[in-house]
Amino acid sequence: NNRVIVVLAGGVGGARMAHGLQQVLPPGRLAAIVNTADDFVHYGLHISPDLDTVMYTLGGVADPVNGWGVAGDTRRTLDAIARYGRDPWFLLGDQDFATHILRTERLREGASLTEVTAELAAALAIPTPILPVTDDPVATQIRAADGWLEFQDYFVGRRQADDVLDVRFSGIERAMATPAALQAIARAECVVVAPSNPIVSIGPILQTPGVREALTDTTAPVLAVSPIIGGQALKGPAANMLRTLGHDVSAAGVAQIYGDLIDGLVIDNADVELAPQIEAAGTRVMVTNSIMGDAADRARFASEVLGFANSLSPEQAAVR
Ligand code: FO1
């Protein structure tokens, strides 16, 4: 049996979902397909925030408070950069710098992002393939009141304070999903869309040429976990972004965004009253405590999600 559970992941929420699944599945039975549209070049280094957040979380070295970066990291390099008169607006720890330096070196040598990520993850003894959705350059851009911004300028530079009027993924029409990502979906026993931002984290994964086709071709159940709980996002700007882009800021709005792509949606106990309307629109619903705190909590939640996926699989359809 070489089938896998596939998780589609952005940053912190995606990493925590992947970590829960990694804990409850045998090594190698999980594959994570990760957003790369937040990637950017800073100080000449290729930075892949979502890949790194997933890698550090699955490797057990992520900073527990921020969710991104390395636990216990120091800022001496950034302090030295500031001494040269540069504004250290993007917080890179000393150990985190090592990741970006080695990634950039390998990319310059001609390695693909997929290869580099596999090398780094192997060194951290991570049993889960961490697969960039594409090796091609794609860059999320945000339209604010004063024009288009690069994603990290919006997210970190301006602390997500702007109303998001439009979103585009520059380069995506020329990008292609990697063979490794498409093979993982083709072999999927189920696909879990993590509770990441549906617009800027999951959006670019789904819009990468090849992915949507692979997801509609598979007979495996596709389910999503709502990142919106009680009308709010646990982390990040998802709620405000959904609102300014005209979506319903609720688990029902998330179900609408994913539409036919998903068979099921996991929503939090706080949103139990939304279940009937989501089911009436054709999406099966599981209601549970969806807040993933510590490792044990993530594992508990992942088991519940897998149980829900089982109940949605085609083999179960006859008995529903
Ligand atoms: N997010 C912040 O809000 N401020 C930061 O200074 C910051 C630094 C950072 C460094 C490395 C890394 O991998 C992630 C970092 N993030 C930071 C998070 C990241 O920019 C966003 O969470 C993602 O791009 C959105 O998924």
Side-chain angles (χ1 to χ4, degrees):
N1 180 358
N2 68 349
R3 299 187 73 191
V4 289
I5 310 294
V6 170
V7 60
L8 308 186
V12 178
R16 291 187 173 156
M17 183 77 250
H19 186 219
L21 291 165
Q22 179 177 270
Q23 288 180 73
V24 299
L25 291 165
R29 285 266 288 153
L30 175 68
I33 299 178
V34 180
N35 174 41
T36 55
D38 295 4
D39 290 19
F40 73 126
V41 174
H42 196 41
Y43 309 128
L45 302 174
H46 184 111
I47 300 182
S48 297
D50 288 354
L51 284 172
D52 288 344
T53 299
V54 171
M55 181 171 81
Y56 295 149
T57 303
L58 294 185
V61 299
D63 184 278
V65 177
N66 291 327
W68 45 267
V70 177
D73 213 349
T74 46
R75 299 253 169 86
R76 303 198 58 185
T77 309
L78 215 57
D79 289 346
I81 286 174
R83 206 154 60 213
Y84 286 113
R86 301 278 292 270
D87 168 21
W89 62 276
F90 194 79
L91 301 179
L92 292 167
D94 297 325
Q95 296 179 61
D96 198 19
F97 262 110
T99 307
H100 314 312
I101 290 167
L102 295 178
R103 172 188 293 119
T104 305
E105 178 189 55
R106 292 290 292 124
L107 290 172
R108 288 213 186 120
E109 288 170 2
S112 67
L113 188 59
T114 297
E115 289 167 336
V116 183
T117 307
E119 291 165 8
L120 296 171
L124 297 182
I126 296 168
T128 301
I130 301 174
L131 307 173
V133 63
T134 181
D135 286 332
D136 301 320
V138 175
T140 299
Q141 294 166 342
I142 299 290
R143 189 163 69 82
D146 58 345
W148 287 96
L149 305 171
E150 295 299 326
F151 183 74
Q152 298 297 347
D153 292 336
Y154 154 77
F155 194 95
V156 178
R158 297 202 196 186
R159 300 170 191 276
Q160 311 136 46
D162 295 84
D163 278 353
V164 174
L165 306 178
D166 203 354
V167 174
R168 68 184 179 199
F169 307 118
S170 174
I172 202 157
E173 60 292 329
R174 277 163 281 132
M176 184 62 202
T178 68
L182 294 178
Q183 276 158 25
I185 296 173
R187 294 201 286 132
E189 199 171 316
C190 81
V191 178
V192 178
V193 180
S196 297
N197 187 311
I199 308 290
V200 292
S201 297
I202 304 299
I205 297 178
L206 298 179
Q207 287 185 38
T208 301
V211 171
R212 197 167 273 274
E213 297 80 343
L215 288 173
T216 44
D217 283 354
T218 178
T219 57
V222 179
L223 57 97
V225 178
S226 175
I228 302 291
I229 298 177
Q232 297 192 310
L234 283 185
K235 212 171 184 338
N240 201 35
M241 202 179 280
L242 290 182
R243 182 180 62 76
T244 58
L245 293 173
H247 299 285
D248 186 3
V249 187
S250 71
V254 173
Q256 270 172 15
I257 290 172
Y258 291 135
D260 285 347
L261 201 78
I262 60 168
D263 305 300
L265 185 71
V266 180
I267 69 174
D268 191 78
N269 290 326
D271 294 319
V272 62
E273 77 282 358
L274 296 173
Q277 75 180 84
I278 299 170
E279 292 221 316
T283 302
R284 300 282 307 274
V285 173
M286 178 175 80
V287 185
T288 185
N289 169 15
S290 69
I291 295 177
M292 288 181 279
D294 62 11
D297 218 26
R298 298 171 194 175
R300 181 267 317 156
F301 182 63
S303 299
E304 291 180 10
V305 168
L306 291 176
F308 180 47
N310 252 326
S311 76
L312 296 175
S313 74
E315 297 86 68
Q316 292 283 313
V319 297
R320 284 220 276 268

